[in-house]
Amino acid sequence: YPLDCLVNDKKMRKMIVVESTRLFAKDSFSGVSLQDISSVIGIKKASLYNYFQSKEDLWNEVVENISILYSLYFERLDSAISDSSTFEEVVDCMFVEIEEIVDLFTYYAFSIIQTNHIRCDKCGDIYNNQFLKFSIDFITEAFDKCIEKGLVRKFSTKTVATFFMHSVLIGMNIRIQEDMDREIPYDVKEMFVSLKEYILSSAKAGI
């Protein structure tokens, strides 16, 4: 099997996952057919079966990608804490990454809980563990590490981390609404500038 064919197959599989999750975000899991997905990608419906056995199989890969991509974000953040000499450097790195996470994960993350699979056990676990509990706990731990390292004075890390993650989810939702051509009175970049200032001021004040 030629190497270039393997590379092309990998790219096509990724494209299918990306485009299908965008459709899921707009029309819900049950509102999207394999024909819809193949039409957007520009291939025949039958060709999808070369990559996925069913729509449910495709859904499962989307879910799996969420965990992988999200974990990579936190690994990079953890490395930044080890390498940084000031709290400001950690926060700067955090927000470089978070702007990417909003753009990249909009359809791998928050949008998925808007589908009819909201009651699906697997999706519920992802929402509770990945996007809320796991994320808040990890950010809290990251802030605590900064305190232990002497980069910043003690502050209410759990409260700030919770506010941070809910803002990320809002940013993701805004991206979805914008993609659906809806007028949104918020700007994601401006929101994160304000959020960054909030984190730095809270840490400086020790609140």
Side-chain angles (χ1 to χ4, degrees):
Y1 198 68
L3 180 59
D4 58 341
C5 289
L6 289 172
V7 172
N8 289 335
D9 279 352
K10 187 175 181 179
K11 288 181 178 178
M12 177 56 72
R13 190 179 185 92
K14 182 177 180 180
M15 183 186 297
I16 292 171
V17 172
V18 170
E19 295 302 331
S20 63
T21 46
R22 285 177 175 167
L23 290 173
F24 292 154
K26 291 183 178 181
D27 302 318
S28 83
F29 179 85
S30 62
V32 176
S33 67
L34 289 179
Q35 182 61 59
D36 294 329
I37 296 170
S38 61
S39 296
V40 168
I41 297 171
I43 62 175
K44 294 181 179 179
K45 176 182 175 181
S47 298
L48 286 177
Y49 291 101
N50 293 328
Y51 303 93
F52 301 96
Q53 296 180 356
S54 63
K55 189 170 71 168
E56 190 67 32
D57 185 33
L58 171 56
W59 168 269
N60 288 335
E61 179 142 337
V62 170
V63 169
E64 180 65 23
N65 275 335
I66 297 172
S67 298
I68 294 173
L69 294 173
Y70 217 54
S71 295
L72 286 174
Y73 165 72
F74 287 115
E75 287 177 13
R76 291 194 293 271
L77 178 58
D78 201 39
S79 296
I81 295 171
S82 299
D83 299 336
S84 299
S85 58
T86 67
F87 184 65
E88 287 77 8
E89 288 179 3
V90 173
V91 176
D92 283 342
C93 179
M94 187 176 178
F95 276 85
V96 168
E97 293 285 357
I98 209 60
E99 288 182 12
E100 292 180 6
I101 213 175
V102 168
D103 290 335
L104 292 174
F105 295 176
T106 293
Y107 298 104
Y108 287 106
F110 187 66
S111 62
I112 292 175
I113 68 166
Q114 297 189 159
T115 73
N116 285 353
H117 269 50
I118 184 66
R119 295 184 176 83
C120 172
D121 289 340
K122 182 180 289 187
C123 190
D125 287 344
I126 289 173
Y127 178 69
N128 290 324
N129 295 328
Q130 292 293 106
F131 308 139
L132 292 180
K133 186 179 184 301
F134 173 79
S135 304
I136 292 170
D137 287 348
F138 192 100
I139 296 295
T140 301
E141 183 180 345
F143 287 154
D144 287 339
K145 286 181 180 178
C146 290
I147 294 173
E148 292 172 5
K149 193 177 177 181
L151 299 181
V152 66
R153 64 192 295 184
K154 189 173 182 179
F155 65 101
S156 301
T157 55
K158 185 81 170 185
T159 299
V160 175
T162 300
F163 186 79
F164 172 80
M165 283 312 306
H166 279 284
S167 296
V168 171
L169 294 179
I170 291 171
M172 290 178 176
N173 195 30
I174 290 173
R175 285 282 194 252
I176 295 169
Q177 302 303 317
E178 288 175 342
D179 197 61
M180 297 174 73
D181 297 323
R182 295 179 179 174
E183 292 186 9
I184 304 297
Y186 302 104
D187 182 272
V188 174
K189 288 188 179 296
E190 289 183 6
M191 182 181 73
F192 283 124
V193 168
S194 298
L195 179 59
K196 183 177 179 180
E197 292 174 352
Y198 164 75
I199 291 175
L200 291 173
S201 62
S202 295
K204 184 177 181 179
I207 60 175

